[in-house]
PDB file of all heavy atoms in Angstrom:
ATOM      1  N   GLN A   1     -18.794 -48.218  -6.371  1.00  0.00           N
ATOM      2  CA  GLN A   1     -20.172 -48.691  -6.510  1.00  0.00           C
ATOM      3  C   GLN A   1     -20.261 -49.809  -7.539  1.00  0.00           C
ATOM      4  O   GLN A   1     -20.931 -50.819  -7.303  1.00  0.00           O
ATOM      5  CB  GLN A   1     -21.091 -47.537  -6.925  1.00  0.00           C
ATOM      6  CG  GLN A   1     -21.321 -46.526  -5.831  1.00  0.00           C
ATOM      7  CD  GLN A   1     -22.217 -45.412  -6.302  1.00  0.00           C
ATOM      8  OE1 GLN A   1     -23.287 -45.664  -6.850  1.00  0.00           O
ATOM      9  NE2 GLN A   1     -21.797 -44.178  -6.103  1.00  0.00           N
ATOM     10  N   ALA A   2     -19.589 -49.647  -8.671  1.00  0.00           N
ATOM     11  CA  ALA A   2     -19.620 -50.679  -9.712  1.00  0.00           C
ATOM     12  C   ALA A   2     -19.101 -52.001  -9.161  1.00  0.00           C
ATOM     13  O   ALA A   2     -19.678 -53.062  -9.431  1.00  0.00           O
ATOM     14  CB  ALA A   2     -18.798 -50.237 -10.913  1.00  0.00           C
ATOM     15  N   LYS A   3     -18.050 -51.948  -8.367  1.00  0.00           N
ATOM     16  CA  LYS A   3     -17.488 -53.165  -7.759  1.00  0.00           C
ATOM     17  C   LYS A   3     -18.507 -53.800  -6.819  1.00  0.00           C
ATOM     18  O   LYS A   3     -18.748 -55.007  -6.876  1.00  0.00           O
ATOM     19  CB  LYS A   3     -16.211 -52.819  -7.004  1.00  0.00           C
ATOM     20  CG  LYS A   3     -15.571 -53.995  -6.326  1.00  0.00           C
ATOM     21  CD  LYS A   3     -14.342 -53.562  -5.534  1.00  0.00           C
ATOM     22  CE  LYS A   3     -13.811 -54.755  -4.757  1.00  0.00           C
ATOM     23  NZ  LYS A   3     -13.119 -54.398  -3.566  1.00  0.00           N
ATOM     24  N   TRP A   4     -19.114 -52.999  -5.940  1.00  0.00           N
ATOM     25  CA  TRP A   4     -20.083 -53.526  -4.976  1.00  0.00           C
ATOM     26  C   TRP A   4     -21.318 -54.063  -5.677  1.00  0.00           C
ATOM     27  O   TRP A   4     -21.875 -55.075  -5.266  1.00  0.00           O
ATOM     28  CB  TRP A   4     -20.471 -52.457  -3.964  1.00  0.00           C
ATOM     29  CG  TRP A   4     -19.317 -51.961  -3.152  1.00  0.00           C
ATOM     30  CD1 TRP A   4     -18.251 -52.690  -2.702  1.00  0.00           C
ATOM     31  CD2 TRP A   4     -19.103 -50.633  -2.702  1.00  0.00           C
ATOM     32  NE1 TRP A   4     -17.389 -51.889  -1.994  1.00  0.00           N
ATOM     33  CE2 TRP A   4     -17.885 -50.611  -1.976  1.00  0.00           C
ATOM     34  CE3 TRP A   4     -19.804 -49.445  -2.829  1.00  0.00           C
ATOM     35  CZ2 TRP A   4     -17.376 -49.465  -1.396  1.00  0.00           C
ATOM     36  CZ3 TRP A   4     -19.296 -48.296  -2.247  1.00  0.00           C
ATOM     37  CH2 TRP A   4     -18.089 -48.318  -1.532  1.00  0.00           C
ATOM     38  N   PHE A   5     -21.759 -53.387  -6.748  1.00  0.00           N
ATOM     39  CA  PHE A   5     -22.924 -53.860  -7.491  1.00  0.00           C
ATOM     40  C   PHE A   5     -22.628 -55.227  -8.114  1.00  0.00           C
ATOM     41  O   PHE A   5     -23.444 -56.141  -8.039  1.00  0.00           O
ATOM     42  CB  PHE A   5     -23.334 -52.869  -8.577  1.00  0.00           C
ATOM     43  CG  PHE A   5     -23.813 -51.540  -8.057  1.00  0.00           C
ATOM     44  CD1 PHE A   5     -23.892 -50.445  -8.905  1.00  0.00           C
ATOM     45  CD2 PHE A   5     -24.169 -51.348  -6.729  1.00  0.00           C
ATOM     46  CE1 PHE A   5     -24.326 -49.211  -8.446  1.00  0.00           C
ATOM     47  CE2 PHE A   5     -24.596 -50.114  -6.255  1.00  0.00           C
ATOM     48  CZ  PHE A   5     -24.672 -49.046  -7.125  1.00  0.00           C
ATOM     49  N   LYS A   6     -21.453 -55.378  -8.725  1.00  0.00           N
ATOM     50  CA  LYS A   6     -21.091 -56.667  -9.333  1.00  0.00           C
ATOM     51  C   LYS A   6     -21.008 -57.761  -8.283  1.00  0.00           C
ATOM     52  O   LYS A   6     -21.473 -58.882  -8.510  1.00  0.00           O
ATOM     53  CB  LYS A   6     -19.760 -56.543 -10.073  1.00  0.00           C
ATOM     54  CG  LYS A   6     -19.874 -55.807 -11.376  1.00  0.00           C
ATOM     55  CD  LYS A   6     -18.523 -55.681 -12.050  1.00  0.00           C
ATOM     56  CE  LYS A   6     -18.639 -54.799 -13.285  1.00  0.00           C
ATOM     57  NZ  LYS A   6     -17.335 -54.550 -13.907  1.00  0.00           N
ATOM     58  N   GLU A   7     -20.413 -57.451  -7.137  1.00  0.00           N
ATOM     59  CA  GLU A   7     -20.284 -58.444  -6.062  1.00  0.00           C
ATOM     60  C   GLU A   7     -21.643 -58.928  -5.566  1.00  0.00           C
ATOM     61  O   GLU A   7     -21.767 -60.044  -5.061  1.00  0.00           O
ATOM     62  CB  GLU A   7     -19.518 -57.848  -4.880  1.00  0.00           C
ATOM     63  CG  GLU A   7     -18.052 -57.624  -5.124  1.00  0.00           C
ATOM     64  CD  GLU A   7     -17.358 -56.879  -3.992  1.00  0.00           C
ATOM     65  OE1 GLU A   7     -18.026 -56.426  -3.035  1.00  0.00           O
ATOM     66  OE2 GLU A   7     -16.134 -56.739  -4.078  1.00  0.00           O
ATOM     67  N   ASN A   8     -22.662 -58.083  -5.711  1.00  0.00           N
ATOM     68  CA  ASN A   8     -23.991 -58.407  -5.189  1.00  0.00           C
ATOM     69  C   ASN A   8     -25.029 -58.626  -6.280  1.00  0.00           C
ATOM     70  O   ASN A   8     -26.231 -58.590  -6.013  1.00  0.00           O
ATOM     71  CB  ASN A   8     -24.438 -57.295  -4.234  1.00  0.00           C
ATOM     72  CG  ASN A   8     -23.610 -57.298  -2.972  1.00  0.00           C
ATOM     73  OD1 ASN A   8     -23.805 -58.139  -2.106  1.00  0.00           O
ATOM     74  ND2 ASN A   8     -22.661 -56.378  -2.866  1.00  0.00           N
ATOM     75  N   ASN A   9     -24.568 -58.865  -7.494  1.00  0.00           N
ATOM     76  CA  ASN A   9     -25.460 -59.137  -8.628  1.00  0.00           C
ATOM     77  C   ASN A   9     -26.514 -58.062  -8.826  1.00  0.00           C
ATOM     78  O   ASN A   9     -27.680 -58.360  -9.101  1.00  0.00           O
ATOM     79  CB  ASN A   9     -26.115 -60.513  -8.478  1.00  0.00           C
ATOM     80  CG  ASN A   9     -25.103 -61.624  -8.454  1.00  0.00           C
ATOM     81  OD1 ASN A   9     -24.196 -61.652  -9.281  1.00  0.00           O
ATOM     82  ND2 ASN A   9     -25.225 -62.520  -7.503  1.00  0.00           N
ATOM     83  N   LEU A  10     -26.110 -56.818  -8.689  1.00  0.00           N
ATOM     84  CA  LEU A  10     -27.002 -55.687  -8.926  1.00  0.00           C
ATOM     85  C   LEU A  10     -26.618 -55.012 -10.235  1.00  0.00           C
ATOM     86  O   LEU A  10     -25.434 -54.915 -10.557  1.00  0.00           O
ATOM     87  CB  LEU A  10     -26.900 -54.665  -7.787  1.00  0.00           C
ATOM     88  CG  LEU A  10     -27.369 -55.132  -6.421  1.00  0.00           C
ATOM     89  CD1 LEU A  10     -26.985 -54.125  -5.349  1.00  0.00           C
ATOM     90  CD2 LEU A  10     -28.873 -55.353  -6.430  1.00  0.00           C
ATOM     91  N   MET A  11     -27.609 -54.552 -10.954  1.00  0.00           N
ATOM     92  CA  MET A  11     -27.367 -53.838 -12.206  1.00  0.00           C
ATOM     93  C   MET A  11     -27.819 -52.393 -12.042  1.00  0.00           C
ATOM     94  O   MET A  11     -28.921 -52.151 -11.549  1.00  0.00           O
ATOM     95  CB  MET A  11     -28.174 -54.469 -13.346  1.00  0.00           C
ATOM     96  CG  MET A  11     -27.717 -55.853 -13.733  1.00  0.00           C
ATOM     97  SD  MET A  11     -26.105 -55.867 -14.507  1.00  0.00           S
ATOM     98  CE  MET A  11     -26.402 -54.885 -15.951  1.00  0.00           C
ATOM     99  N   PRO A  12     -26.980 -51.442 -12.446  1.00  0.00           N
ATOM    100  CA  PRO A  12     -27.449 -50.056 -12.433  1.00  0.00           C
ATOM    101  C   PRO A  12     -28.522 -49.880 -13.501  1.00  0.00           C
ATOM    102  O   PRO A  12     -28.335 -50.309 -14.634  1.00  0.00           O
ATOM    103  CB  PRO A  12     -26.209 -49.227 -12.748  1.00  0.00           C
ATOM    104  CG  PRO A  12     -25.099 -50.166 -12.982  1.00  0.00           C
ATOM    105  CD  PRO A  12     -25.607 -51.571 -12.856  1.00  0.00           C
ATOM    106  N   SER A  13     -29.635 -49.303 -13.129  1.00  0.00           N
ATOM    107  CA  SER A  13     -30.695 -49.090 -14.114  1.00  0.00           C
ATOM    108  C   SER A  13     -30.765 -47.648 -14.558  1.00  0.00           C
ATOM    109  O   SER A  13     -31.314 -47.349 -15.602  1.00  0.00           O
ATOM    110  CB  SER A  13     -32.050 -49.507 -13.537  1.00  0.00           C
ATOM    111  OG  SER A  13     -32.376 -48.689 -12.434  1.00  0.00           O
ATOM    112  N   SER A  14     -30.181 -46.784 -13.760  1.00  0.00           N
ATOM    113  CA  SER A  14     -30.221 -45.363 -14.085  1.00  0.00           C
ATOM    114  C   SER A  14     -29.082 -44.667 -13.364  1.00  0.00           C
ATOM    115  O   SER A  14     -28.721 -45.035 -12.249  1.00  0.00           O
ATOM    116  CB  SER A  14     -31.562 -44.776 -13.633  1.00  0.00           C
ATOM    117  OG  SER A  14     -31.634 -43.417 -13.959  1.00  0.00           O
ATOM    118  N   LEU A  15     -28.525 -43.662 -14.019  1.00  0.00           N
ATOM    119  CA  LEU A  15     -27.427 -42.898 -13.446  1.00  0.00           C
ATOM    120  C   LEU A  15     -27.816 -41.432 -13.465  1.00  0.00           C
ATOM    121  O   LEU A  15     -28.027 -40.859 -14.525  1.00  0.00           O
ATOM    122  CB  LEU A  15     -26.151 -43.130 -14.255  1.00  0.00           C
ATOM    123  CG  LEU A  15     -24.901 -42.424 -13.802  1.00  0.00           C
ATOM    124  CD1 LEU A  15     -24.502 -42.885 -12.404  1.00  0.00           C
ATOM    125  CD2 LEU A  15     -23.766 -42.691 -14.782  1.00  0.00           C
ATOM    126  N   HIS A  16     -27.937 -40.862 -12.293  1.00  0.00           N
ATOM    127  CA  HIS A  16     -28.301 -39.454 -12.188  1.00  0.00           C
ATOM    128  C   HIS A  16     -27.035 -38.630 -12.346  1.00  0.00           C
ATOM    129  O   HIS A  16     -26.137 -38.680 -11.517  1.00  0.00           O
ATOM    130  CB  HIS A  16     -28.943 -39.179 -10.825  1.00  0.00           C
ATOM    131  CG  HIS A  16     -29.585 -37.844 -10.751  1.00  0.00           C
ATOM    132  ND1 HIS A  16     -28.863 -36.695 -10.547  1.00  0.00           N
ATOM    133  CD2 HIS A  16     -30.872 -37.471 -10.868  1.00  0.00           C
ATOM    134  CE1 HIS A  16     -29.692 -35.672 -10.527  1.00  0.00           C
ATOM    135  NE2 HIS A  16     -30.913 -36.114 -10.726  1.00  0.00           N
ATOM    136  N   MET A  17     -26.950 -37.884 -13.429  1.00  0.00           N
ATOM    137  CA  MET A  17     -25.762 -37.088 -13.713  1.00  0.00           C
ATOM    138  C   MET A  17     -25.787 -35.781 -12.920  1.00  0.00           C
ATOM    139  O   MET A  17     -26.846 -35.257 -12.605  1.00  0.00           O
ATOM    140  CB  MET A  17     -25.684 -36.764 -15.207  1.00  0.00           C
ATOM    141  CG  MET A  17     -25.616 -37.986 -16.098  1.00  0.00           C
ATOM    142  SD  MET A  17     -24.127 -38.954 -15.870  1.00  0.00           S
ATOM    143  CE  MET A  17     -22.917 -37.859 -16.544  1.00  0.00           C
ATOM    144  N   ALA A  18     -24.612 -35.271 -12.650  1.00  0.00           N
ATOM    145  CA  ALA A  18     -24.495 -33.964 -11.999  1.00  0.00           C
ATOM    146  C   ALA A  18     -24.927 -32.889 -12.990  1.00  0.00           C
ATOM    147  O   ALA A  18     -24.616 -32.970 -14.177  1.00  0.00           O
ATOM    148  CB  ALA A  18     -23.062 -33.727 -11.558  1.00  0.00           C
ATOM    149  N   TYR A  19     -25.629 -31.902 -12.520  1.00  0.00           N
ATOM    150  CA  TYR A  19     -26.112 -30.848 -13.399  1.00  0.00           C
ATOM    151  C   TYR A  19     -25.011 -29.872 -13.800  1.00  0.00           C
ATOM    152  O   TYR A  19     -25.090 -29.224 -14.808  1.00  0.00           O
ATOM    153  CB  TYR A  19     -27.234 -30.061 -12.725  1.00  0.00           C
ATOM    154  CG  TYR A  19     -28.487 -30.848 -12.566  1.00  0.00           C
ATOM    155  CD1 TYR A  19     -28.877 -31.321 -11.325  1.00  0.00           C
ATOM    156  CD2 TYR A  19     -29.280 -31.146 -13.661  1.00  0.00           C
ATOM    157  CE1 TYR A  19     -30.036 -32.059 -11.173  1.00  0.00           C
ATOM    158  CE2 TYR A  19     -30.445 -31.889 -13.521  1.00  0.00           C
ATOM    159  CZ  TYR A  19     -30.814 -32.332 -12.274  1.00  0.00           C
ATOM    160  OH  TYR A  19     -31.948 -33.057 -12.127  1.00  0.00           O
ATOM    161  N   ASN A  20     -23.977 -29.771 -12.989  1.00  0.00           N
ATOM    162  CA  ASN A  20     -22.966 -28.752 -13.234  1.00  0.00           C
ATOM    163  C   ASN A  20     -21.716 -29.294 -13.913  1.00  0.00           C
ATOM    164  O   ASN A  20     -20.707 -28.637 -13.951  1.00  0.00           O
ATOM    165  CB  ASN A  20     -22.577 -28.081 -11.918  1.00  0.00           C
ATOM    166  CG  ASN A  20     -22.071 -29.082 -10.902  1.00  0.00           C
ATOM    167  OD1 ASN A  20     -22.090 -30.276 -11.132  1.00  0.00           O
ATOM    168  ND2 ASN A  20     -21.620 -28.605  -9.761  1.00  0.00           N
ATOM    169  N   THR A  21     -21.775 -30.455 -14.478  1.00  0.00           N
ATOM    170  CA  THR A  21     -20.586 -31.035 -15.087  1.00  0.00           C
ATOM    171  C   THR A  21     -20.405 -30.563 -16.525  1.00  0.00           C
ATOM    172  O   THR A  21     -21.365 -30.374 -17.256  1.00  0.00           O
ATOM    173  CB  THR A  21     -20.618 -32.573 -15.036  1.00  0.00           C
ATOM    174  OG1 THR A  21     -19.419 -33.061 -15.606  1.00  0.00           O
ATOM    175  CG2 THR A  21     -21.790 -33.142 -15.795  1.00  0.00           C
ATOM    176  N   ASN A  22     -19.165 -30.385 -16.903  1.00  0.00           N
ATOM    177  CA  ASN A  22     -18.858 -30.015 -18.288  1.00  0.00           C
ATOM    178  C   ASN A  22     -18.846 -31.224 -19.200  1.00  0.00           C
ATOM    179  O   ASN A  22     -18.853 -31.078 -20.417  1.00  0.00           O
ATOM    180  CB  ASN A  22     -17.496 -29.321 -18.345  1.00  0.00           C
ATOM    181  CG  ASN A  22     -17.505 -27.992 -17.638  1.00  0.00           C
ATOM    182  OD1 ASN A  22     -18.523 -27.316 -17.584  1.00  0.00           O
ATOM    183  ND2 ASN A  22     -16.379 -27.612 -17.080  1.00  0.00           N
ATOM    184  N   LEU A  23     -18.810 -32.422 -18.632  1.00  0.00           N
ATOM    185  CA  LEU A  23     -18.743 -33.641 -19.432  1.00  0.00           C
ATOM    186  C   LEU A  23     -20.105 -34.102 -19.942  1.00  0.00           C
ATOM    187  O   LEU A  23     -20.187 -34.812 -20.929  1.00  0.00           O
ATOM    188  CB  LEU A  23     -18.122 -34.771 -18.614  1.00  0.00           C
ATOM    189  CG  LEU A  23     -16.685 -34.573 -18.163  1.00  0.00           C
ATOM    190  CD1 LEU A  23     -16.247 -35.743 -17.289  1.00  0.00           C
ATOM    191  CD2 LEU A  23     -15.758 -34.422 -19.350  1.00  0.00           C
ATOM    192  N   LEU A  24     -21.163 -33.730 -19.276  1.00  0.00           N
ATOM    193  CA  LEU A  24     -22.495 -34.237 -19.603  1.00  0.00           C
ATOM    194  C   LEU A  24     -22.854 -34.111 -21.084  1.00  0.00           C
ATOM    195  O   LEU A  24     -23.357 -35.065 -21.671  1.00  0.00           O
ATOM    196  CB  LEU A  24     -23.550 -33.563 -18.728  1.00  0.00           C
ATOM    197  CG  LEU A  24     -24.973 -34.069 -18.877  1.00  0.00           C
ATOM    198  CD1 LEU A  24     -25.043 -35.563 -18.595  1.00  0.00           C
ATOM    199  CD2 LEU A  24     -25.900 -33.320 -17.954  1.00  0.00           C
ATOM    200  N   PRO A  25     -22.588 -32.976 -21.755  1.00  0.00           N
ATOM    201  CA  PRO A  25     -22.972 -32.890 -23.170  1.00  0.00           C
ATOM    202  C   PRO A  25     -22.241 -33.877 -24.071  1.00  0.00           C
ATOM    203  O   PRO A  25     -22.674 -34.145 -25.182  1.00  0.00           O
ATOM    204  CB  PRO A  25     -22.602 -31.457 -23.558  1.00  0.00           C
ATOM    205  CG  PRO A  25     -22.453 -30.717 -22.290  1.00  0.00           C
ATOM    206  CD  PRO A  25     -22.066 -31.717 -21.250  1.00  0.00           C
ATOM    207  N   TYR A  26     -21.137 -34.430 -23.599  1.00  0.00           N
ATOM    208  CA  TYR A  26     -20.338 -35.344 -24.418  1.00  0.00           C
ATOM    209  C   TYR A  26     -20.669 -36.810 -24.196  1.00  0.00           C
ATOM    210  O   TYR A  26     -20.103 -37.675 -24.844  1.00  0.00           O
ATOM    211  CB  TYR A  26     -18.844 -35.107 -24.138  1.00  0.00           C
ATOM    212  CG  TYR A  26     -18.418 -33.711 -24.484  1.00  0.00           C
ATOM    213  CD1 TYR A  26     -18.243 -32.765 -23.484  1.00  0.00           C
ATOM    214  CD2 TYR A  26     -18.230 -33.317 -25.798  1.00  0.00           C
ATOM    215  CE1 TYR A  26     -17.869 -31.472 -23.797  1.00  0.00           C
ATOM    216  CE2 TYR A  26     -17.858 -32.030 -26.120  1.00  0.00           C
ATOM    217  CZ  TYR A  26     -17.677 -31.113 -25.111  1.00  0.00           C
ATOM    218  OH  TYR A  26     -17.327 -29.834 -25.426  1.00  0.00           O
ATOM    219  N   PHE A  27     -21.573 -37.097 -23.299  1.00  0.00           N
ATOM    220  CA  PHE A  27     -21.892 -38.486 -22.958  1.00  0.00           C
ATOM    221  C   PHE A  27     -22.314 -39.294 -24.180  1.00  0.00           C
ATOM    222  O   PHE A  27     -21.964 -40.452 -24.315  1.00  0.00           O
ATOM    223  CB  PHE A  27     -22.988 -38.508 -21.893  1.00  0.00           C
ATOM    224  CG  PHE A  27     -23.199 -39.867 -21.290  1.00  0.00           C
ATOM    225  CD1 PHE A  27     -22.362 -40.320 -20.291  1.00  0.00           C
ATOM    226  CD2 PHE A  27     -24.225 -40.689 -21.712  1.00  0.00           C
ATOM    227  CE1 PHE A  27     -22.540 -41.572 -19.717  1.00  0.00           C
ATOM    228  CE2 PHE A  27     -24.413 -41.940 -21.152  1.00  0.00           C
ATOM    229  CZ  PHE A  27     -23.561 -42.384 -20.151  1.00  0.00           C
ATOM    230  N   TRP A  28     -23.050 -38.694 -25.101  1.00  0.00           N
ATOM    231  CA  TRP A  28     -23.580 -39.410 -26.258  1.00  0.00           C
ATOM    232  C   TRP A  28     -22.742 -39.204 -27.509  1.00  0.00           C
ATOM    233  O   TRP A  28     -23.093 -39.688 -28.566  1.00  0.00           O
ATOM    234  CB  TRP A  28     -25.018 -38.966 -26.534  1.00  0.00           C
ATOM    235  CG  TRP A  28     -25.918 -39.359 -25.428  1.00  0.00           C
ATOM    236  CD1 TRP A  28     -26.575 -40.554 -25.304  1.00  0.00           C
ATOM    237  CD2 TRP A  28     -26.259 -38.609 -24.273  1.00  0.00           C
ATOM    238  NE1 TRP A  28     -27.302 -40.585 -24.139  1.00  0.00           N
ATOM    239  CE2 TRP A  28     -27.129 -39.390 -23.479  1.00  0.00           C
ATOM    240  CE3 TRP A  28     -25.924 -37.348 -23.798  1.00  0.00           C
ATOM    241  CZ2 TRP A  28     -27.654 -38.958 -22.273  1.00  0.00           C
ATOM    242  CZ3 TRP A  28     -26.446 -36.916 -22.596  1.00  0.00           C
ATOM    243  CH2 TRP A  28     -27.300 -37.718 -21.849  1.00  0.00           C
TER     244      TRP A  28
END
């Protein structure tokens, strides 16, 4: 997705995280 967004001059404005991931608490 990041590659396709860059190719088309799109910027991600929001990322919906998975609720069941163990990584989410470490994002910040």
